[in-house]
Amino acid sequence: MSAAVNATANPVVSADVSWLLVSSALVFFMVPGLGFFYSGLAEAKNAMTMLQAVMVVFAVVSVQWALFGFSLALSDNSHNGFIGDLSYAALLNTMNTQNTMAPTIPNSLFSLYQMMFAAITPALFVGATAGRMKLLPTAILAFLWTTIVYDPVAYWVWSANGWLHGLNVMDYAGGSVIHVSSGVAALVLAFRLDRRSDYGCRSYDNHSPTFVYLGTAILWFGWMGFNGGSALASNERAINAAFASNLAACMGGLVWLLLEITFNGKRFTSIGFCTGAIAGLATITPGSGFVQPGFGLVYGAAA
């Protein structure tokens, strides 16, 4: 079925449009939050570079997404199971059509929301390059990685015609598409860049626990739109996902505090709590739309 036919199949729902616009803004707000989080964990001399790198990567991938990324990742006109076509290149045919994956909102809004996901994903592996990779190579890598890795994987899992989607792979908001793919990229980068030249010769201190705290708060806030918005509608599933995500973050942070108190001489740190909260949010993400809110406590404890 073509996107043009989809436009007449379902009416646009105003409540869904409003919620996805808000969710898009919430996910964008996670970008500076991620920058603050990484900046706080980095050394002082790399703090501003971390902030700048995350935002530059976001801008580069947003341009890529508008040119051809959205069409490759989430075109509903491609009939192969591995990659989309270029029917939505340069965002053509998106203003007055609807996508089969989001039938109650305009295709342009679906593209905007998914652009936030695509753009923040390569920013996640920026933390693995702190102090070891310049800004221009980082931006080029983000563009190429998004094209070669993210777009195909997103199509496999989330497109109606993707081969993993056809196998009923369940990834509600990005466990495999976002966190696994970016995590593997970060690991490969860390090995490829090798150790720092002064590794083992001196200690490395976090630049600012305050920045880590601020970044965590912003990420936690934005994650309500990250997981809640992935329902692609203003409905009960969105509520469950947001509620479960919040509980997972709370439990993750508290469990980390208990572990620090138990194994660190009854001392705990704000960075430890923040790390646990983020771990809880990341862990609940792929399943947040498939479970009742109370299961967020289980996901958070396991994180």
Side-chain angles (χ1 to χ4, degrees):
M1 181 181 291
S2 68
V5 174
N6 295 340
T8 60
N10 296 282
V12 171
V13 178
S14 298
D16 295 348
V17 171
S18 299
W19 173 232
L20 265 295
L21 281 171
V22 171
S23 295
S24 298
L26 288 171
V27 179
F28 166 76
F29 195 40
M30 294 175 71
V31 177
L34 182 65
F36 276 115
F37 186 81
Y38 282 163
S39 176
L41 291 175
E43 293 184 285
K45 65 179 182 179
N46 299 319
M48 191 63 223
T49 302
M50 286 290 96
L51 286 167
Q52 184 68 17
V54 169
M55 193 61 75
V56 167
V57 166
F58 176 85
V60 167
V61 176
S62 294
V63 172
Q64 185 268 6
W65 189 255
L67 291 176
F68 55 82
F70 172 61
S71 196
L72 292 179
L74 294 170
S75 171
D76 55 352
N77 295 322
S78 176
H79 297 292
N80 74 80
F82 297 95
I83 194 68
D85 57 19
L86 295 176
S87 58
Y88 296 135
L91 300 182
L92 298 175
N93 305 314
T94 62
M95 295 302 295
N96 59 350
T97 61
Q98 290 165 270
N99 199 294
T100 55
M101 284 81 82
T104 63
I105 61 174
N107 216 354
S108 54
L109 177 56
F110 181 56
S111 176
L112 172 65
Y113 181 66
Q114 291 295 335
M115 180 181 74
M116 302 302 168
F117 281 63
I120 199 173
T121 301
L124 293 173
F125 62 66
V126 165
T129 69
R132 293 186 292 170
M133 194 168 177
K134 294 182 178 180
L135 188 58
L136 181 58
T138 300
I140 294 173
L141 174 63
F143 185 93
L144 295 176
W145 183 87
T146 302
T147 303
I148 298 170
V149 178
Y150 181 86
D151 292 346
V153 174
Y155 184 85
W156 299 346
V157 177
W158 285 334
S159 172
N161 298 318
W163 71 277
L164 288 177
H165 185 86
L167 295 176
N168 295 318
V169 170
M170 301 174 70
D171 185 352
Y172 173 71
S176 59
V177 179
I178 296 174
H179 297 132
V180 172
S181 64
S182 62
V184 171
L187 181 62
V188 171
L189 271 175
F191 277 110
R192 182 65 182 85
L193 295 174
D194 209 353
R195 294 180 177 182
R196 302 174 188 271
S197 59
D198 58 355
Y199 179 80
C201 299
R202 63 183 182 87
S203 61
Y204 295 89
D205 298 318
N206 303 123
H207 163 59
S208 172
T210 303
F211 274 20
V212 176
Y213 178 90
L214 176 62
T216 300
I218 294 174
L219 287 168
W220 194 333
F221 177 70
W223 228 297
M224 298 302 102
F226 193 96
N227 288 352
S230 290
L232 300 176
S234 178
N235 56 21
E236 183 180 356
R237 193 181 198 187
I239 298 169
N240 284 352
F243 203 165
S245 300
N246 184 66
L247 292 177
C250 294
M251 182 59 78
L254 292 174
V255 168
W256 193 288
L257 282 185
L258 292 175
L259 290 174
E260 284 194 312
I261 292 171
T262 302
F263 297 104
N264 197 25
K266 297 185 178 180
R267 294 167 52 198
F268 59 87
T269 64
S270 60
I271 290 180
F273 176 84
C274 291
T275 302
I278 296 300
L281 287 165
T283 302
I284 190 64
T285 292
S288 58
F290 304 127
V291 299
Q292 292 297 313
F295 281 95
L297 299 173
V298 178
Y299 278 80

